Amino acid sequence: MTSPKKRVDPLFVALAVVLVAVAAAVGVVFFQLHSKISALQTGASFTFRYEIAPNSPDKPPLLNILERVNASSGSVSGQYAPGKLQLSFYQLNEDDSVKTSPFTRVYIDSEETLFDIGQLYTVLRQAVTDKLSLASVLLPEWSLGDYISQTQAAAVLGVETNKVELQELSGFALSLKGLKKVSPSAARDGYRYYQFPAAADGTTLVLGFSTDALFSKTTPIHVLLTIPDHNVHIQLTGTVTSAKTVLSPPASRMSDEDIATLAQIRQSVESVWKMIQSAAQTTN
């Protein structure tokens, strides 16, 4: 006598199928995220809109400089190679479009941070002479080496070197190992966020990937970066594309002998700027 066949509950079968499909989908997303991060490890190009805000009322010196040229928010584009970054920063026009020429550039590797002070001075000089044509006589055109080191920048600004160095930014390892899935308060809809292990100085990086574009070559990214040494929180929104990049330190460097000249130029800019502000207040 044969035993009766057990009836399989259709609801149980449907639930099992759903669970298998969900597990497969999660596995595919994880694999794709791993593949994308692995690709970005070897090199990338990117463009972001950025916003920089201080973490306390005491504004850091670099943020003060950015605010002077109306660039505490703007656009940054650049390239990444393992352990190296090249960044170009752009101001925004009144209609929120991006200016065609950068106001400064920064090169970062594990050894040093280099600032394109020549480009920054040129932009500052133009901003001043636009308001006061006579200033072109008081402020000479740039004729020194373009980039200054973090040590030179610290000497000019009168701050400690760790207030201007940024090489910790080159030390993040884009790996799934140690990543923690998080839900930041500034999260965007449709993004999945991961926090990387904090750097030695406490710098924290949270990356948000658009889940709709994980299979695309160019991926929308939302970056939340906090740098305690600089007392700032930086938010970036844009796209990143894996790319083969070769980055080298810039050749045009300012000599230590020219730092005194740079300090004098900075004082001249400050004096002319105060004169412009005084004239504006008198007019009003």
Side-chain angles (χ1 to χ4, degrees), residues 18 50 58 60 72 101 118 151 179 207 223 241 245 249:
V18 170
Y50 70 85
D58 296 327
S72 57
S101 298
T151 305
L179 283 187
L207 284 184
V223 183
T241 304
T245 56

Side-chain angles (χ1 to χ4, degrees), residues 206-282:
V206 174
L207 284 184
F209 295 86
S210 172
T211 54
D212 292 336
L214 279 178
F215 294 90
S216 302
K217 183 178 180 180
T218 298
T219 306
I221 299 285
H222 185 204
V223 183
L224 302 172
L225 179 66
T226 301
I227 310 177
D229 273 355
H230 294 275
N231 188 32
V232 292
H233 176 75
I234 305 172
Q235 186 171 182
L236 306 103
T237 306
T239 58
V240 60
T241 304
S242 59
K244 293 183 179 180
T245 56
V246 178
L247 300 179
S248 301
S252 180
R253 303 275 293 267
M254 181 180 292
S255 67
D256 289 338
E257 290 75 15
D258 289 330
I259 291 300
T261 302
L262 176 59
Q264 293 175 353
I265 291 175
R266 176 178 175 240
Q267 291 174 358
S268 298
V269 172
E270 293 285 347
S271 298
V272 174
W273 193 262
K274 289 178 180 178
M275 183 170 60
I276 292 173
Q277 289 179 321
S278 179
Q281 290 173 356
T282 301

Side-chain angles (χ1 to χ4, degrees), residues 6 18 74 142 173 178 183:
K6 293 183 179 179
V18 170
W142 190 258
S183 299

Side-chain angles (χ1 to χ4, degrees), residues 12 14 37 55 81 85 90 100 131-132 147 158 182 206 218 221 262:
F12 175 80
I37 287 180
N55 287 329
L85 280 168
Y90 297 80
T100 55
K131 295 179 179 295
L132 183 66
Y147 282 81
V182 294
V206 174
T218 298
I221 299 285
L262 176 59

Side-chain angles (χ1 to χ4, degrees), residues 23 26 34 51 59 63 70 95-96 101 109 113 117 133 138 151 166-167 172-173 235 253 267-268:
V26 170
H34 184 279
E51 296 178 5
K59 293 180 181 178
L63 182 55
N70 297 318
D95 63 357
D96 203 43
S101 298
D109 62 24
T113 302
I117 192 68
S133 58
L138 303 173
T151 305
L166 298 170
Q167 49 260 45
F172 284 105
Q235 186 171 182
R253 303 275 293 267
Q267 291 174 358
S268 298

Side-chain angles (χ1 to χ4, degrees), residues 61-130:
L62 293 181
L63 182 55
N64 280 326
I65 292 174
L66 291 177
E67 289 184 343
R68 178 61 59 86
V69 293
N70 297 318
S72 57
S73 62
S75 177
V76 57
S77 63
Q79 294 181 317
Y80 164 81
K84 299 177 182 179
L85 280 168
Q86 176 70 57
L87 308 171
S88 296
F89 292 86
Y90 297 80
Q91 299 160 300
L92 301 180
N93 295 307
E94 292 184 1
D95 63 357
D96 203 43
S97 61
V98 179
K99 289 184 179 293
T100 55
S101 298
F103 68 85
T104 194
R105 302 177 180 88
V106 181
Y107 171 84
I108 306 167
D109 62 24
S110 59
E111 301 295 330
E112 61 183 354
T113 302
L114 301 174
F115 302 93
D116 188 347
I117 192 68
Q119 179 69 8
L120 179 59
Y121 172 78
T122 299
V123 172
L124 277 170
R125 182 179 183 274
Q126 186 63 52
V128 171
T129 55
D130 284 346

Side-chain angles (χ1 to χ4, degrees), residues 145-162:
D146 291 324
Y147 282 81
I148 62 173
S149 69
Q150 63 206 16
T151 305
Q152 293 170 330
V156 172
L157 295 172
V159 299
E160 296 178 356
T161 304
N162 67 340

